[in-house]
Amino acid sequence: MSGTDLTELAELPADPAGPWIDDPYGHALRTGRGPLFLRRSDGWLLPLEVERWCAEPDATDITLFSRCRGSVLDIGCGPGRLVAALAGHGLTALGVDVSPAAVARTRGAGGSVLRRSVFDRLPAEGRWGTALLVDGNIGIGGDPHALLTRVRQLIAPGGRLLAEAAPHDVDERLTVRVQDAHGHHGHDFPWARLGPTALLRTATLTGWTPVDQWTADGRTFVELWG
């Protein structure tokens, strides 16, 4: 897969009403600092690990690299730590993210990135060797069944998905917003949280074959083959 393949599509047009384009999220990625949260309608807060996302890959992240095969698509790449590091390891890697701040930070780190949704047309559909859904990104779109079905369309036959689950058994669909410590927030949007049991169940229903499950530093991952 060539560099041309990675950038063959135009990026999304500007959309100031998008949930990941609001000031709290963009500001946090530009500065590399939180605190930042997903806030549920009942006031429940899920801390977002901005500092970890904006740092170099840690030992837990690196456990993913040896499992990657072929070209790698990082779905919801955020500030791009994995995309840049994978490229540094000699792998072809592309990040996709809807946030302009995430795209800018990924490019600044030397990673290839495209500002698009995973549900939009993407380069090299059906040819990716590995897809990543980490840092809670199994929640993208609020419908894990639709998301995992879409990812199967993106990978090559026999390709794999490395997905991070919530660290405990949970299976919920949410309406959330991004909020900072001062109460500034963006628009509501759908999200989901799946623990390992729910993630494996949904993966099986969408045609994936579970291959492995492991935990490192309190984070839980599954490896699925298409």
Side-chain angles (χ1 to χ4, degrees):
M1 190 177 302
S2 69
T4 302
D5 291 330
L6 298 183
T7 56
E8 64 184 18
L9 299 177
E11 295 199 332
L12 289 170
D15 177 12
W20 296 100
I21 303 170
D22 302 297
D23 286 345
Y25 184 71
H27 178 73
L29 289 197
R30 285 189 292 271
T31 62
R33 297 192 303 274
L36 197 68
F37 309 91
L38 287 184
R39 184 185 188 277
R40 198 163 59 189
S41 56
D42 63 1
W44 171 89
L45 296 175
L46 175 68
L48 300 178
E49 299 181 78
V50 175
E51 289 84 356
R52 179 173 65 80
W53 298 346
C54 291
E56 295 295 317
D58 59 22
T60 300
D61 294 326
I62 292 171
T63 66
L64 298 171
F65 294 177
S66 64
R67 296 172 182 262
C68 292
R69 297 291 183 273
S71 55
V72 182
L73 182 67
D74 186 359
I75 298 165
C77 67
R81 73 185 189 284
L82 300 181
V83 176
L86 286 164
H89 280 72
L91 293 171
T92 298
L94 175 70
V96 292
D97 204 292
V98 297
S99 161
V103 168
R105 185 138 188 162
T106 300
R107 286 184 179 147
S112 295
V113 62
L114 193 61
R115 183 173 170 250
R116 296 197 74 78
S117 162
V118 65
F119 295 105
D120 293 323
R121 182 172 168 243
L122 293 174
E125 293 199 11
R127 290 190 282 147
W128 294 97
T130 304
L132 302 178
L133 280 172
V134 300
D135 300 330
N137 284 332
I138 190 64
I140 288 173
D143 184 345
H145 190 283
L147 178 60
L148 291 177
T149 298
R150 172 58 174 152
V151 177
R152 284 202 73 219
Q153 297 170 349
L154 296 172
I155 66 163
R160 62 192 62 194
L161 169 62
L162 305 177
E164 184 171 358
H168 52 279
D169 277 326
V170 62
D171 185 359
E172 56 184 0
R173 311 296 178 266
L174 312 168
T175 297
V176 296
R177 58 179 55 173
V178 179
Q179 179 174 306
D180 66 18
H182 305 289
H184 302 136
H185 60 80
H187 297 277
D188 290 349
F189 60 95
W191 198 248
R193 297 179 69 229
L194 298 187
T197 301
L199 177 48
L200 291 172
R201 180 174 60 249
T202 306
T204 300
L205 290 173
T206 51
W208 293 93
T209 299
V211 175
D212 198 8
Q213 177 180 329
W214 72 101
T215 299
D217 195 27
R219 297 168 64 192
T220 300
F221 302 89
V222 300
E223 181 175 343
L224 310 167
W225 289 6

